[in-house]
Amino acid sequence: TVNDGQATNNVVTRTFAVTVTSVNSAPTISSIPSQTVVSGAGSGPINFTIGDVETAAAQLSLSVSSSATAILPTANIVFGGNNSNRTVTLTPAAGQAGTANVTITVGDGAAASSTTFLVTVQAQTSQLSVNKSGAGTVTPDLSSAPLIVGQSYTVTATPAVGYVFAGWSGGIQSSSPTLTFTMTAGLVLQANFTANPYVAAAGTYNGLFTESDEVRLPSAGAFNIYADTSGNYSGWVQIGYARHTVSGQFQLDSRATNVVTRWNNNPLTVE
């Protein structure tokens, strides 16, 4: 309305419509510095803040992505905190090392903002202790340098002359001279060797057997067994008209068992 102060025709009025459109402001998120964590171990809570002009902080949503999920799986990135004060905890995959870019996005349903930071994952290492009982060697010598936790390694126990391998003990139990294991923190292995018990018993053995009261053809027979200085044996057992081969490896107490499958008859156990 304009008035020029005259007595007449002094007032002019114009009317127009004004439309006010709401503008949504994007939420905010603080930056997070680069992080260094050890493989398989958690980072601990890392603090950051979020906010929004129109939406309460408690109503804002958070999402995350990792550029290297084999090193830092998305499922291993966990949020904590509440309202404006939030945290994120990082747990890299065991046995992995490298880098990953982590992007955290905050949204209010209409707009979003994000921050990205670098995560360097260092391999967790630990010293392997290898002990020996008796005379022998373990190769390769993995106790000379730290090993990566979660990674697989292989060692072989070789007895000295006059000894045999008696098994692994300590953190892992195995009867095989070649052992493949996954490294764990503070792992201790012991290779056990014992004096060869087979040398004195090596040779060829044969004989006859019958039932105690009389000789019956179906249950009487003969055997011939050869044993070498390494505890291996082979030979045959004959019962009636049927001859069966046997072979194997003696235990350290010089005992062994063979189960022989027989046609149209019960299995034969030879000890």
Side-chain angles (χ1 to χ4, degrees), residues 20-141:
V20 179
T21 303
S22 63
V23 177
N24 181 69
S25 300
T28 60
I29 182 170
S30 62
S31 62
I32 298 176
S34 297
Q35 303 290 319
T36 299
V37 294
V38 176
S39 174
S43 65
I46 301 167
N47 297 316
F48 66 98
T49 59
I50 59 174
D52 190 76
V53 174
E54 298 85 11
T55 305
Q59 303 303 314
L60 298 175
S61 64
L62 289 175
S63 61
V64 68
S65 64
S66 169
S67 65
T69 54
I71 297 173
L72 181 58
T74 303
N76 289 11
I77 305 174
V78 180
F79 293 122
N82 54 62
N83 298 323
S84 296
N85 300 312
R86 303 298 180 96
T87 64
V88 61
T89 300
L90 314 172
T91 305
Q96 299 293 322
T99 60
N101 286 311
V102 174
T103 300
I104 299 176
T105 301
V106 57
D108 62 5
S113 298
S114 62
T115 186
T116 299
F117 59 97
L118 178 67
V119 178
T120 300
V121 179
Q122 298 178 339
Q124 181 185 4
T125 61
S126 183
Q127 196 77 29
L128 173 69
S129 297
V130 179
N131 303 323
K132 292 181 291 184
S133 175
T137 60
V138 176
T139 55
D141 182 10

